[in-house]
Amino acid sequence: MSTESALSIRDLRVTFKTLLGNVQAVRGVSLDVQPGEVLGVVGESGSGKSVSFLAVMGLLGRNAVIEGSAKVGDTELVGANQRTLRKVRGNNVAMIFQDPLSALNPVHRVGAQVAEMVLAHHHGMSKDDAAKRAVELLDIVGIPQPEQRARQYAHEFSGGMRQRVMIAMAIANDPKVLIADEPTTALDVTVQAQILEVIDRIRKEMGTAVVLITHDLGVVARMADRVQVMYAGRVVERADVHSLFHQSDHPYTRGLLASQPTLGRERLSPIPGAPPNMLQPPSGCAFRVRCAHAAPECAGDVPELIQVRRTETACVRAQELEALV
Amino acid sequence: MRTSNSSKLAALAVGLALVVAACGSDSSSSPTTAGATETTGGTETTAGSETTAGGSDTTVAAETPAMKITYNINDKAVWDDGSPITADDFVCTFDAVMNTVGSLSTSGYDQIISVEAGESDHQVVATFKTVYAPYRGLFGSLIKKAAVADCNDVSGDFQTDFPFSNRPYKLESWDANQEILVPNENYWGDDKAVVQKVVMVPKADAETEIASLLSSEVDFIYPQYSPETADAVKGDSNVKVSIQFGGDYEGLYFQQNDGPFADATFRQAFAQSIDVEGLMAQVYEPIVAGAKQLTCGPIVPGRYCDETTFQNTYDPAAAEKLMTDAGWAKDGNGYWAKDGADAPEIRWMINTGNTRRENTQAFLIPLMQAAGFNVVADNCEAECVFQKRLPAMDYDLGMYISTAPPDPAYLTGSFTCDQVPSDANNQAGQNSQGWCNEEASALLEKADATIDLDERAGLIKDAIKMMREDWVMLPTFQFPKSGVYRTDKVGGPVEAELNNYLAFINFNQWTDVDGDGQIVIGAEQWPGCLNPITECANSSWYQWLISAPLTMGVYDTTNDGDYKLTPLMADEPVVEIL
Amino acid sequence: MLRFIVRRLLWAIPTLFIVTFVVYCALRLATNPLASYARANPRVAKDPEKMAQYVETNGLWPGFSGYVRGYFVWLKGFVTGNWQVSIKGSRPVWPNLKIALVNTIRLGLLAVMVSIPIGLSLGIFAALKPGRLRDTAVNTGAIIGFSVQPFISAIILQLFFGVQWAKWFGEPLLPTSGLYPPGHQGFDPVLMLKYMILPVIVVSIQSIASYSRYMRASLLDVLNSDYLRTARSKGISERRVLVKHALRNAMIPIVTLAALDIGAIVGGLIISEAVFDYPGMGVFFLNAQSNGDFPELMPWMVIITSSVILFNLLADLAYAWLDPRIRLD
């Protein structure tokens, strides 16, 4: 892939050491995000999609072991010291989280929280200037009366407004990459659309690369340029958004699509079974235990991503299954 | 409680003056007399002072002088401000005791018709309506007329200060944390203060006292004696324990007003079946090595004690014969029974939690049962024992400590017929054994009106012999008092007066060995206030910390349980029977 | 805010009314002031006229209506400053109560000043590395410290610094009782401080234990919170994350707890004071209680109750001040 990637991850592995054993949350994820591009990362809870990016940001606990590589520009983040990570965090890479109420500090005014982000990477700036910049940012993300709102606390905001605050905070330093971890999950549908619009506007205006982590394929369809589907800590399928929705070759992706409510379809078909226990993930294709098309060979080597039709798919039977579509 | 009872009586009858009145009743409550602590768990008992002493209240009408005492005050005697001590102070003291609201017992004083100046203001004449033998207890301390607003009511005085002294020391300061005494420069006697400062500090209990003695915070303590005290200080060679035998004595008492001991034969046989020697070895020997039985009765060795009276009471063979002769026979359980009735049950009451008495029960009950007496332990809390059941004679066998004051008049209050609880004395009589022997009562009452000491002693001894013949009680042990002190901090005659009713009264003679300029005495009960007439004075520790160190009267008590004239007097008071 | 304070203070008045009335009834039942008075003044006790007079003066009528009337007699005297005099010694109550109160506040505040910084530091120290040796050490220490009753720690310390030290080196290292050495007169802060070392330690042990545990738990909560992750994602220094975000938030419940704790001090040191012969509210209470001294016990109770009510209010105010989510109106 191109060296101009805003974010480039290679073979990222995250293991949590717990009392019960090692949880292999991420087992070799690679991806690239280009400036101005939206990469959707899709998967069920526990598929490792959030963990991958928290690992990149260095925000996981002490019990997480991170291997592989994650580069922002020329800066390697895996194994980097705190100083390097701090320079990158909030500056080159910013993150917004799922629940903006708990993600905002309840006892600090929102303006101050945004200003703190500004100050963190503009050491010479005065507090007043930072505060002014915070108000500007709140204005940019579409918060009305930003000066007054800046003096309020998170609990005085609605959910959507809070997420706007989070976005304002995230874009404070014109980051190259914006990681949005389920940014709309906790919000009403109408508000969801507004937030997505804000993110899209930012991307367009600033040329920011956006990683959109979600389990909501609707959001992906609307926002993403490309999509990666994750299952059990691995990328199982990767494609541009149109191909994924129309020519997916991985049974899991198809299952996900079938479980999404779509206008006109009469019934939803959820994927049977539950995600695997990551203490001891199944050998071979981790999805085979839930897969309607599983065959003995699925238990063999871990399938690699290979180009099948218009998507890259990690399924040994992809070629055969193509016919079933 | 017995202790308080007798000591109340003591207070009443003896009436060792205002303060001493207090002392009497409070000796009951004092920590040194086991009874006190037992009775109310450390709180001071005041009950004693309420009782009517042997009929003294009833002689209101008789105003005919029966006795006159003339006191001559030493010309040199002055208060700490240099003003002379005169007859006025005696008059004031008398008025204060008799008229101040809420004061302690007036007994003795209520026998006085008048107190007046005699030929000079240094002579006092007290006229009595009866012959009052315990007169030495009167005017044990004095109130300075000039220091109080109204001698007839001193209850408002002494709020924060005790404003005078005629002793070697005077009060410099007193509060809830300490009392400081400094030398009285105007003291005229020979026993002037040795140390520049004496400090008394409150200690919560015996353990705290010992800890602060061991850490050299205090120099001297006066705890109730226990072998644990001696053990605790064993490791420190600079600490000395002095054990002395004072007025405290323990005994077994037979309630004979009703119940099984109303039968004289049964009572005698029971008493003769008690192995006192065995009891000494089993219970008292571990407390004091070489413990010997107290054999003179409800009194301690001294002028009034005949040590042969209670010797050799243990005679099981005689007891057996006595019972058999009287028609008693052992039933199926091995208990004496008579005339087809059930074997009588003997309820033995002690206060729970007293290890010594519980040990005594554990030792004696099996022996007595084997001897055919159905004894059962019937114990309750100290308050229940001493405030309720003892005064109500709701027991058969009792065991407790009493304190004998220097004057034996307390016997009159404890053992005469008048004092058996009855409606006539509002059930407040102190004779809770219910023993009524008219002859003995007459002897005791006569003794209180007999001035001659030897004659009086004879009467008392005779009365106590009757007590033995009637099996009223069995004395067991004269209980020790203890003074514990640091030899590296305090010296001189520290041990000389530990037996005294006024305890460490002679501390003005002690020396400051380590040269820190002061002697520190730990007090187990802190006097709550300073007034010598009101209830404040109702504790031994008040007596020891406030009144005895600050005021002197006609007589002081001595270490051997007697009285001696103080330097306040020019000569021995003249007693005239009219 | 001001409205809230005024309203709460106004509420405190009926609360105090009710509480003092209940306490009045309970104390009268428990101490029986008339009997205490009779016990203390045996000769008066025999004089029905004088006893009746005492009942009238002090409102000690029997029966429920008697209690109610008596309560108002007491209340009027209390509010107008005409306190009933003590039964023992017939003295004014306030001078001694004031001394006791000052002494206890001094001891309590010193203990708070020692135990809060130490307890919180230990809690932070432990929470920063949960599960590690230091955490285990602090936790174990806290459990031990918490379970050691004051009278046990007091006796151990007294034996060690007083008795045993005196045995080894001739004189005790630290004084074991009182406020000053026997015979001392006047005010001497340095000497007094020396005498307060052991009592302060004893009072502090349990406080340190509980503060460290509360602080650890509260800080761990905050450290695992989403907003702390947000703070870290900003790229600010770890120190700033801790101080500005974690501690500030973790302190909210602690401040409340501390306020309630301090409010309980005036009545809460009875055992420690007794063991050290420390002339404070506890010793005052024990003496008054053993004398059945109703006129001394009532003001004591009022002070204790008022303190608890007042510090409850302060705890609420502190909570509201620290946490903008709490609104006082």
Side-chain angles (χ1 to χ4, degrees):
Chain A
M1 289 266 170
S2 144
T3 50
E4 297 142 41
S5 297
L7 171 66
S8 171
I9 295 176
R10 289 289 172 277
D11 196 25
L12 185 73
R13 290 165 187 277
V14 180
T15 310
F16 293 104
K17 293 185 184 294
T18 70
L19 286 175
L20 297 171
N22 291 346
V23 175
Q24 303 166 41
V26 179
R27 304 188 290 161
V29 166
S30 299
L31 61 83
D32 286 271
V33 197
Q34 311 304 324
E37 179 194 39
V38 176
L39 172 68
V41 178
V42 177
E44 293 169 292
S45 306
S47 62
K49 52 191 196 306
S50 291
V51 170
S52 306
F53 293 93
L54 289 172
V56 169
M57 294 285 280
L59 292 176
L60 292 177
R62 287 168 215 279
N63 61 340
V65 179
I66 304 162
E67 294 159 301
S69 159
K71 279 187 174 172
V72 173
D74 293 331
T75 313
E76 173 61 57
L77 298 181
V78 174
N81 59 27
Q82 279 296 319
R83 218 171 138 221
T84 313
L85 279 173
R86 274 209 338 255
K87 266 190 194 152
V88 171
R89 287 202 289 240
N91 194 19
N92 297 344
V93 187
M95 201 158 177
I96 57 183
F97 300 98
Q98 174 174 342
D99 179 2
L101 179 58
S102 63
L104 285 167
N105 193 320
V107 306
H108 292 174
R109 294 173 202 279
V110 298
Q113 297 191 55
V114 176
E116 186 181 38
M117 186 74 147
V118 177
L119 279 171
H121 301 283
H122 294 82
H123 295 293
M125 190 184 265
S126 74
K127 282 195 170 175
D128 279 355
D129 290 346
K132 275 181 201 140
R133 171 74 179 139
V135 173
E136 254 176 66
L137 287 163
L138 293 177
D139 195 29
I140 289 171
V141 296
I143 292 176
Q145 298 173 299
E147 278 179 41
Q148 285 145 42
R149 301 292 267 173
R151 288 195 293 274
Q152 294 183 331
Y153 294 94
H155 69 274
E156 295 169 277
F157 283 65
S158 67
M161 285 294 150
R162 279 182 209 132
Q163 198 57 292
R164 284 173 200 254
V165 172
M166 285 300 293
I167 296 171
M169 199 188 296
I171 63 172
N173 299 306
D174 294 333
K176 293 191 174 68
V177 183
L178 176 65
I179 300 167
D181 186 357
E182 307 264 14
T184 59
T185 308
L187 305 177
D188 292 344
V189 182
T190 50
V191 180
Q192 280 186 8
Q194 292 165 7
I195 294 299
L196 293 176
E197 263 165 35
V198 173
I199 293 175
D200 203 41
R201 184 158 53 82
I202 301 292
R203 178 187 65 84
K204 279 189 196 131
E205 286 171 9
M206 300 184 176
T208 315
V210 175
V211 176
L212 186 62
I213 302 167
T214 181
H215 62 274
D216 184 343
L217 288 168
V219 171
V220 170
R222 179 191 170 127
M223 291 282 292
D225 299 313
R226 290 187 303 121
V227 186
Q228 296 209 118
V229 180
M230 288 188 67
Y231 186 78
R234 285 208 173 87
V235 178
V236 293
E237 189 158 33
R238 166 153 88 192
D240 66 89
V241 67
H242 188 266
S243 305
L244 188 93
F245 275 86
H246 298 286
Q247 295 192 358
S248 166
D249 288 320
H250 198 286
Y252 176 63
T253 312
R254 286 192 215 150
L256 273 185
L257 290 167
S259 66
Q260 294 283 317
T262 315
L263 216 59
R265 188 161 53 197
E266 285 170 9
R267 273 214 284 151
L268 296 181
S269 358
I271 305 173
N277 174 5
M278 299 307 282
L279 273 169
Q280 288 165 307
S283 62
C285 173
F287 185 63
R288 67 186 160 84
V289 291
R290 296 167 74 187
C291 183
H293 311 289
E297 64 261 38
C298 294
D301 290 340
V302 175
E304 296 291 326
L305 282 171
I306 47 165
Q307 190 75 35
V308 182
R309 295 196 298 167
R310 299 181 57 182
T311 67
E312 290 174 83
T313 302
C315 174
V316 287
R317 299 190 66 201
Q319 303 287 359
E320 307 163 43
L321 297 176
E322 196 183 329
L324 298 171
V325 178
Chain B
M1 81 234 64
R2 193 43 0 183
T3 329
S4 84
N5 289 352
S6 59
S7 48
K8 289 165 196 178
L9 298 174
L12 309 166
V14 176
L16 219 187
L18 23 107
V19 185
V20 180
C23 116
S25 64
D26 65 72
S27 63
S28 54
S29 59
S30 97
T32 50
T33 69
T37 354
E38 293 152 11
T39 52
T40 46
T43 48
E44 295 148 5
T45 337
T46 57
S49 42
E50 303 174 58
T51 55
T52 44
S56 51
D57 281 6
T58 56
T59 49
V60 180
E63 295 289 293
T64 342
M67 181 172 94
K68 189 173 95 176
I69 303 181
T70 307
Y71 301 95
N72 290 310
I73 303 171
N74 188 339
D75 286 340
K76 285 183 274 179
V78 288
W79 295 107
D80 56 315
D81 62 356
S83 62
I85 298 171
T86 67
D88 285 350
D89 298 317
F90 277 75
V91 175
C92 180
T93 303
F94 176 63
D95 289 343
V97 172
M98 290 304 291
N99 301 326
T100 296
V101 166
S103 73
L104 295 178
S105 168
T106 57
S107 80
Y109 294 99
D110 54 15
Q111 303 302 307
I112 296 177
I113 299 169
S114 68
V115 178
E116 302 156 328
E119 291 162 4
S120 74
D121 63 355
H122 274 67
Q123 189 178 70
V124 186
V125 178
T127 315
F128 290 73
K129 56 192 171 195
T130 56
V131 175
Y132 187 67
Y135 69 90
R136 288 179 185 79
L138 298 177
F139 297 109
S141 56
L142 285 185
I143 287 181
K144 180 183 176 187
K145 186 184 181 190
V148 296
D150 175 6
C151 290
N152 286 309
D153 182 5
V154 299
S155 61
D157 296 285
F158 306 96
Q159 287 276 334
T160 57
D161 192 14
F162 199 101
F164 52 84
S165 170
N166 59 357
R167 290 276 193 185
Y169 282 99
K170 62 182 179 184
L171 188 69
E172 170 153 298
S173 79
W174 173 88
D175 59 35
N177 308 315
Q178 65 179 359
E179 173 188 349
I180 297 178
L181 299 172
V182 294
N184 169 7
E185 303 299 342
N186 283 317
Y187 180 64
W188 69 95
D190 298 329
D191 52 340
K192 290 194 183 354
V194 173
V195 180
Q196 284 311 297
K197 201 175 187 182
V198 175
V199 183
M200 321 278 193
V201 290
K203 292 291 153 203
D205 49 40
E207 277 156 34
T208 327
E209 283 182 279
I210 290 160
S212 49
L213 186 80
L214 288 173
S215 62
S216 296
E217 193 207 320
V218 303
D219 306 340
F220 173 88
I221 55 175
Y222 194 59
Q224 180 174 13
Y225 178 77
S226 80
E228 287 79 19
T229 310
D231 280 352
V233 301
K234 215 172 255 168
D236 194 330
S237 58
N238 289 322
V239 174
K240 194 167 172 215
V241 184
S242 172
I243 301 174
Q244 311 233 358
F245 293 88
D248 297 349
Y249 62 90
E250 192 156 44
L252 296 164
Y253 294 82
F254 310 113
Q255 189 274 112
Q256 48 190 278
N257 191 58
D258 53 14
F261 290 148
D263 181 327
T265 310
F266 189 82
R267 189 168 73 240
Q268 177 175 356
F270 183 87
Q272 289 187 319
S273 303
I274 297 175
D275 179 4
V276 185
E277 290 297 317
L279 181 63
M280 297 314 291
Q282 185 73 25
V283 173
Y284 292 101
E285 176 73 27
I287 298 172
V288 183
K292 290 230 163 46
Q293 191 200 349
L294 174 70
T295 53
C296 51
I299 197 153
V300 291
R303 191 195 300 276
Y304 304 99
C305 162
D306 178 349
E307 302 205 2
T308 62
T309 309
F310 280 87
Q311 272 175 354
N312 309 320
T313 52
Y314 182 47
D315 192 348
E320 185 105 23
K321 182 168 185 303
L322 203 60
M323 291 299 275
T324 317
D325 290 353
W328 293 80
K330 288 192 179 173
D331 67 4
N333 295 321
Y335 297 140
W336 293 109
K338 192 179 177 183
D339 302 335
D342 286 346
E345 185 184 79
I346 298 156
R347 296 174 301 141
W348 186 353
M349 174 184 71
I350 62 167
N351 54 316
T352 48
N354 183 306
T355 317
R356 183 179 64 254
R357 287 172 203 156
E358 283 169 355
N359 288 344
T360 305
Q361 283 189 335
F363 172 68
L364 278 185
I365 289 180
L367 293 182
M368 298 312 289
Q369 286 176 341
F373 296 97
N374 183 17
V375 183
V376 294
D378 183 19
N379 307 334
C380 64
E381 297 294 322
E383 198 203 342
C384 153
V385 169
F386 296 109
Q387 315 286 1
K388 295 188 184 128
R389 292 182 54 189
L390 208 55
M393 296 193 285
D394 179 17
Y395 72 103
D396 299 319
L397 178 62
M399 181 184 189
Y400 42 81
I401 277 190
S402 304
T403 302
D407 194 285
Y410 70 95
L411 294 171
T412 317
S414 296
F415 296 103
T416 51
C417 293
D418 287 349
Q419 287 297 312
V420 177
S422 69
D423 288 341
N425 54 33
N426 289 324
Q427 300 294 336
Q430 303 300 306
N431 185 347
S432 36
Q433 300 69 237
W435 176 52
C436 179
N437 179 322
E438 299 289 355
E439 202 183 336
S441 298
L443 282 175
L444 287 171
E445 274 153 20
K446 188 177 172 202
D448 284 353
T450 302
I451 300 297
D452 183 87
L453 288 175
D454 291 335
E455 196 184 331
R456 188 172 179 212
L459 293 167
I460 300 273
K461 286 176 186 170
D462 287 348
I464 292 177
K465 277 202 183 72
M466 290 179 186
M467 206 175 281
R468 148 82 197 246
E469 283 155 15
D470 286 353
W471 300 100
V472 179
M473 58 91 67
L474 265 189
T476 53
F477 191 51
Q478 188 181 8
F479 217 76
K481 301 188 172 206
S482 62
V484 190
Y485 64 104
R486 296 198 66 89
T487 51
D488 55 346
K489 302 280 279 184
V490 60
V494 180
E495 299 178 22
E497 298 284 345
L498 298 182
N499 248 356
N500 198 319
Y501 208 59
L502 296 177
F504 40 89
I505 175 82
N506 70 334
F507 66 79
N508 56 308
Q509 314 256 28
W510 298 358
T511 57
D512 175 20
V513 173
D514 63 337
D516 63 354
Q518 62 182 24
I519 291 173
V520 184
I521 295 172
E524 198 164 294
Q525 285 178 19
W526 197 242
C529 39
L530 292 169
N531 196 306
I533 301 290
T534 65
E535 82 289 350
C536 300
N538 187 28
S539 116
S540 307
W541 282 98
Y542 177 87
Q543 176 80 2
W544 298 336
L545 299 188
I546 309 287
S547 75
L550 295 176
T551 71
M552 173 192 290
V554 178
Y555 291 95
D556 273 346
T557 53
T558 68
N559 200 44
D560 49 11
D562 212 336
Y563 289 105
K564 69 164 193 229
L565 209 59
T566 67
L568 179 65
M569 294 289 106
D571 48 32
E572 186 74 33
V574 181
V575 181
E576 296 163 77
I577 309 296
L578 304 174
Chain C
M1 180 75 101
L2 191 69
R3 260 183 57 204
F4 171 80
I5 297 174
V6 170
R7 208 177 53 201
R8 275 288 295 268
L9 286 176
L10 288 178
W11 260 114
I13 293 172
T15 311
L16 264 175
F17 260 113
I18 294 165
V19 172
T20 50
F21 179 69
V22 171
V23 166
Y24 176 89
C25 296
L27 275 183
R28 268 196 60 183
L29 282 172
T31 63
N32 193 350
L34 197 58
S36 302
Y37 180 73
R39 209 162 47 232
N41 301 279
R43 269 182 45 187
V44 178
K46 286 192 222 157
D47 186 339
E49 210 171 288
K50 292 227 169 74
M51 290 304 280
Q53 195 189 330
Y54 188 78
V55 168
E56 285 303 315
T57 317
N58 295 288
L60 299 175
W61 303 286
F64 183 72
S65 65
Y67 272 47
V68 173
R69 279 200 300 149
Y71 170 71
F72 283 104
V73 168
W74 170 84
L75 187 67
K76 189 181 165 209
F78 184 80
V79 172
T80 56
N82 298 315
W83 291 17
Q84 295 174 12
V85 294
S86 69
I87 287 175
K88 174 114 185 175
S90 308
R91 282 165 307 174
V93 171
W94 175 240
N96 286 335
L97 186 57
K98 186 178 73 185
I99 293 169
L101 184 61
V102 168
N103 283 338
T104 291
I105 289 175
R106 185 160 41 210
L107 173 61
L109 285 190
L110 262 180
V112 164
M113 280 156 58
V114 168
S115 58
I116 289 187
I118 295 179
L120 298 194
S121 306
L122 286 174
I124 295 168
F125 180 72
L128 288 183
K129 293 267 173 73
R132 301 292 179 82
L133 177 66
R134 54 156 78 166
D135 187 28
T136 316
V138 169
N139 271 328
T140 314
I143 289 166
I144 294 171
F146 201 75
S147 53
V148 174
Q149 295 299 312
F151 65 90
I152 295 174
S153 53
I155 287 168
I156 292 172
L157 290 172
Q158 285 174 332
L159 279 179
F160 182 77
F161 288 108
V163 177
Q164 204 56 40
W165 202 278
K167 226 178 248 178
W168 290 335
F169 304 106
E171 60 180 78
L173 180 66
L174 290 172
T176 54
S177 71
L179 196 52
Y180 286 117
H184 177 87
Q185 287 165 291
F187 180 70
D188 181 344
V190 177
L191 198 56
M192 186 167 70
L193 222 53
K194 195 176 160 195
Y195 270 73
M196 290 180 71
I197 292 175
L198 289 187
V200 165
I201 291 176
V202 164
V203 173
S204 301
I205 287 176
Q206 283 189 315
S207 300
I208 290 175
S210 68
Y211 279 118
S212 72
R213 285 185 64 78
Y214 277 117
M215 188 64 197
R216 176 185 176 276
S218 176
L219 185 55
L220 274 181
D221 255 12
V222 174
L223 287 175
N224 291 323
S225 68
D226 285 357
Y227 58 82
L228 212 75
R229 190 178 59 188
T230 308
R232 287 219 173 87
S233 80
K234 286 176 169 178
I236 53 179
S237 69
E238 188 63 20
R239 187 188 151 78
R240 190 178 163 89
V241 169
L242 266 182
V243 176
K244 275 275 180 181
H245 294 269
L247 288 184
R248 167 79 204 278
N249 287 279
M251 283 305 288
I252 293 171
I254 303 293
V255 169
T256 313
L257 178 83
L260 295 175
D261 229 37
I262 294 170
I265 277 178
V266 286
L269 306 180
I270 295 180
I271 295 170
S272 309
E273 288 183 3
V275 183
F276 285 104
D277 283 331
Y278 186 87
M281 294 290 275
V283 169
F284 181 94
F285 170 79
L286 291 177
N287 286 336
Q289 199 258 352
S290 71
N291 291 332
D293 209 317
F294 180 80
E296 285 191 332
L297 288 171
M298 268 314 282
W300 188 89
M301 283 291 192
V302 173
I303 287 176
I304 304 295
T305 317
S306 309
S307 165
V308 170
I309 292 177
L310 178 70
F311 277 88
N312 258 299
L313 171 62
L314 287 182
D316 284 352
L317 291 178
Y319 201 33
W321 176 62
L322 286 168
D323 190 337
R325 284 169 295 185
I326 307 298
R327 300 195 49 184
L328 291 179
D329 299 306

